[in-house]
Amino acid sequence: MKPTALDLLRRGMERHRAGRLEEAESLYRRALRLAPGHPDAHNLLGALALERGDAAAALDHGQKAVAANPGSLLYRGNLGAALAAAGRLDEAIAAFRAVLAAQPGNASMLRNLGQALTAAAQPEAALDPLRRAAALAPD
């Protein structure tokens, strides 16, 4: 029986978590060939690219994931991270704020927003989200 795109994505995520990035990428790309435009495949390829420091690829896949599923807060947050890595800080800040509008207690997004504001030379604005992130997730 041939694996489905979902099977391939699951296997890819297992490899990804184990640090086997080349295998994960191969599985994600196979899933994308089976289901062109699949937002999860693009999101996962974007996350993997970001881990590798490839902001351009992360941005490309992040934009495709959001275009395919604009309501996904996960995809929007990951796109924000790719935008920040690409130096597009105003857009990253807007993406993080959009996620936080729907999930005000999202510690990761609060941290990301604070870091993006700091990188954008707005340290005073960064204090509140960073404090809130630390209160929500002290670790």
Side-chain angles (χ1 to χ4, degrees), residues 30-42:
R30 283 180 54 200
L32 207 49
R33 283 192 297 276
L34 283 178
H38 195 291
D40 288 332
H42 279 299

Side-chain angles (χ1 to χ4, degrees), residues 67-87:
N69 186 352
S72 172
L73 297 176
L74 173 66
Y75 300 164
R76 286 200 176 276
N78 288 346
L79 176 57
L83 287 161

Side-chain angles (χ1 to χ4, degrees), residues 45-63:
L45 281 164
L48 194 144
L50 200 54
E51 264 184 76
R52 290 181 166 163
D54 187 348
L59 190 55
D60 178 55
H61 287 293
Q63 289 169 329

